[in-house]
Amino acid sequence: MTQATNSLYRQLPSIDRLLREPQITSLIAFYGQTQVVDILRDMQEQARFNIREHQALPEWSDDWVASLQRKLDKIQTSALKPVFNLSGTVLHTNLGRALLAESAIEAVTQAMRSPVTLEYSLDGASRGHRDRALADLLCTLTGAEDACIVNNNAAAVLLMLATVAQGKEVVISRGELVEIGGAFRIPDVMVQAGCRLVEVGTTNRTHLKDFQQAINSDTGMLMKVHTSNYSIEGFTAEVSAEELAKLGMASQIPTAIDLGSGSMTDMTQYGLPAEPMPQDYLNHGIDLVTFSGDKLLGGPQAGIIVGKKRWIDAIQHHPLKRALRADKMTLAALEATLRLYQHPEQLRQKLPTLRLLTRTQSEIRDMAQQLIPQIRAYYSEKFVVRDEPCYSQIGSGSLPVDRLPSWSLTFTAIDGRGSTLENLAHQWRNLKKPVIGRLYDGRLWLDLRCLEDGNALLRALLLL
């Protein structure tokens, strides 16, 4: 070991000396001594490695306190960071889908801070059922005989199939064998539930006679799946829910529909495209309907099963139910969300999902024109900044063909390089509150449909 190398090692401060530094003492008070000491030891080892390999101290060794602070900040940064969703997709699966209403947030907070009557009956001072209160509310809203809640809609479909048709055949149209995000496929779920898939019809046309001809002594269920994330157009035909329900009753075979998204209110009254509602299918006589809580319903992630009491009772007693059940925070948020539907005259204002979906293009354009002068001035050296019309999408497999007229800010690189735009998008994703836009047609688009606080975006983009 050379004299120069020894000199570098001697420049490394001891842990004890560092811990006596006033600034590090303050960090210990905030982050805890164990964590601070562990990081300082790692930093010392990194410095020793740098000396061994490069005969030099690392660049950060001039300021151990600042380097320690950066490492602590990085470790403490939440993995679930709030972001500006300016992607143009309202119910963005990767960004958490539906935003919760304030009443739902308050209900979750209360459920976290205090013991609650999750499975406790105040009437009899005995054990109750965690789904009961919400099941009664869902029955009131949909007209179902009973209801069951699990942790997401995939779980709802799995549990329903495992309960009703395990070891039997499930008949479904070939055109409805959907795959959703994360490679969730209906045929695969049927296998896991212990069912045997029977495809009928063709990709574009399925008739009632196709279902009739498939029925035999091993048939356990007749099923439809709402094709919420794609559309088949042209020469098409499908079996209606009413037709399927009548066939099921005549054959004494249970019928089910997986809605996927599922809306609890008529979307057309708000000027939005029509989306099937669970209550419509129940009115047609379908035995069981499953749908999500965190899509058009506007609540937390949950899977909801509504339908005939005899089947819901069986589902509640299936061993899988305990593994798939929802926790108290989900139930609290879902109940608060569902209660908003009891006041339909206020739903548009109080349910964030509906509020964002129903914003008019002119309202969004006004916001863009208020923001653009400051943003254009800040970015004009490298980008041409414009406000332009665009189209938003609902997202999460809901109404895939329909688009909502919206307004955006667009950024075009003056140097014409795609890498310049990619660097800008990367820069925004690394802000304290990341800004998520989309690259398309040689521009970086910020769709403002989901932006309700323009000043917050200005503070983020202008680094104020």
Side-chain angles (χ1 to χ4, degrees):
M1 187 180 299
T2 66
Q3 186 175 353
T5 301
N6 278 330
S7 175
L8 291 173
Y9 279 122
R10 284 194 295 270
Q11 293 180 48
L12 298 180
S14 68
I15 298 294
D16 288 341
R17 176 190 147 191
L18 289 168
L19 293 177
R20 289 195 295 270
E21 293 281 344
Q23 291 171 292
I24 292 183
T25 301
S26 299
L27 293 176
I28 290 173
F30 188 82
Y31 293 102
Q33 179 157 330
T34 299
Q35 188 168 210
V36 169
V37 170
D38 286 345
I39 294 175
L40 286 174
R41 285 174 177 159
D42 286 342
M43 290 170 66
Q44 275 196 338
E45 185 54 41
Q46 291 169 22
R48 291 190 185 102
F49 176 82
N50 211 74
I51 292 170
R52 287 195 306 270
E53 297 298 318
H54 306 290
Q55 290 73 54
L57 290 167
E59 292 180 3
W60 51 260
S61 64
D62 290 339
D63 194 338
W64 283 69
V65 174
S67 182
L68 173 63
Q69 177 76 70
R70 287 193 296 271
K71 291 178 180 294
L72 287 166
D73 288 344
K74 185 175 182 179
I75 290 172
Q76 293 297 319
T77 299
S78 173
L80 299 177
K81 297 184 68 173
V83 303
F84 291 97
N85 175 16
L86 308 184
S87 65
T89 300
V90 179
L91 297 173
H92 198 304
T93 298
N94 298 342
L95 299 180
R97 292 184 178 166
L99 301 180
L100 293 186
E102 288 301 317
S103 59
I105 295 169
E106 292 169 6
V108 172
T109 302
Q110 179 175 302
M112 290 191 292
R113 285 181 171 160
S114 171
V116 294
T117 53
L118 178 64
E119 293 185 357
Y120 186 87
S121 171
L122 293 173
D123 291 336
S126 58
R127 181 165 185 166
H129 196 288
R130 67 174 55 203
D131 288 0
R132 191 65 264 151
L134 268 72
D136 291 341
L137 183 52
L138 282 162
C139 290
T140 299
L141 292 170
T142 67
E145 293 181 8
D146 207 350
C148 171
I149 300 96
V150 289
N151 57 28
N152 64 16
N153 190 52
V157 174
L158 175 68
L159 181 59
M160 176 185 71
L161 289 169
T163 302
V164 179
Q166 188 172 46
K168 296 183 178 181
E169 295 179 351
V170 176
V171 185
I172 186 171
S173 168
R174 183 170 282 109
E176 296 176 0
L177 296 175
V178 304
E179 175 181 324
I180 64 173
F184 170 86
R185 293 180 170 184
I186 287 293
D188 296 340
V189 176
M190 288 189 182
V191 171
Q192 293 301 316
C195 306
R196 298 190 300 278
L197 168 66
V198 176
E199 304 175 35
V200 296
T202 63
T203 303
N204 60 318
R205 292 178 68 83
T206 300
H207 305 281
L208 185 62
K209 65 181 181 181
D210 295 318
F211 278 90
Q212 292 170 325
Q213 293 169 358
I215 292 174
N216 59 53
S217 59
D218 286 332
T219 304
M221 178 182 286
L222 306 178
M223 186 175 181
K224 275 184 67 66
V225 176
H226 176 49
T227 55
S228 59
N229 62 351
Y230 68 94
S231 176
I232 300 175
E233 299 180 355
F235 187 58
T236 64
E238 67 172 296
V239 177
S240 70
E242 188 172 10
E243 290 176 311
L244 194 69
K246 288 180 179 178
L247 178 60
M249 286 185 277
S251 308
Q252 296 186 325
I253 297 171
T255 53
I257 291 184
D258 170 27
L259 279 186
S261 181
S263 172
M264 291 280 288
T265 188
D266 180 5
M267 304 295 280
T268 61
Q269 66 182 305
Y270 302 107
L272 295 169
E275 176 76 3
M277 298 183 291
Q279 49 266 47
D280 292 338
Y281 292 114
L282 295 173
N283 289 338
H284 288 315
I286 294 294
D287 292 301
L288 293 166
V289 180
T290 68
F291 56 102
S292 296
D294 58 347
K295 295 183 180 179
L296 287 175
L297 181 65
Q301 176 182 298
I304 300 167
I305 311 172
V306 292
K308 300 289 174 57
K309 182 172 177 55
R310 62 173 289 212
W311 293 118
I312 297 294
D313 282 345
I315 288 169
Q316 293 284 18
H317 288 92
H318 193 282
L320 271 178
K321 174 60 187 345
R322 185 173 183 85
L324 303 175
R325 68 184 182 179
D327 71 346
K328 65 178 181 179
M329 291 174 284
T330 297
L331 295 175
L334 183 58
E335 180 182 6
T337 302
L338 291 172
R339 292 204 179 281
L340 295 177
Y341 285 84
Q342 295 179 307
H343 303 278
E345 63 278 359
Q346 298 179 357
L347 190 63
R348 185 173 183 172
Q349 291 75 37
K350 293 193 173 183
L351 192 69
T353 294
L354 192 56
R355 186 171 67 243
L356 296 175
L357 290 175
T358 56
R359 292 183 73 190
T360 64
Q361 187 180 44
S362 61
E363 175 190 350
I364 304 169
R365 181 186 61 219
D366 289 344
M367 172 175 278
Q369 293 174 348
Q370 290 170 13
L371 296 175
I372 197 168
Q374 293 185 64
I375 294 177
R376 177 180 284 157
Y378 189 84
Y379 287 92
S380 60
E381 184 177 338
K382 293 185 177 180
F383 302 94
V384 175
V385 183
R386 298 188 179 95
D387 66 293
E388 301 184 52
C390 64
Y391 286 93
S392 309
Q393 61 181 2
I394 294 174
S396 291
S398 304
L399 302 167
V401 177
D402 298 283
R403 296 290 184 267
L404 308 175
S406 187
W407 210 268
S408 64
L409 301 178
T410 66
F411 295 72
T412 305
I414 292 175
D415 63 13
R417 295 178 180 174
S419 60
T420 303
L421 284 177
E422 290 171 0
N423 288 337
L424 180 62
H426 182 266
Q427 174 188 326
W428 287 349
R429 291 197 301 271
N430 283 278
L431 294 173
K432 185 174 182 180
K433 183 174 180 179
V435 175
I436 310 299
R438 66 187 178 97
L439 288 164
Y440 172 72
D441 195 26
R443 284 171 285 179
L444 179 51
W445 298 70
L446 299 182
D447 185 329
L448 302 183
R449 173 169 292 280
C450 293
L451 179 68
E452 297 188 279
D453 185 352
N455 289 329
L457 180 64
L458 283 177
R459 289 192 294 271
L461 291 185
L462 307 186
L463 306 177
L464 300 177

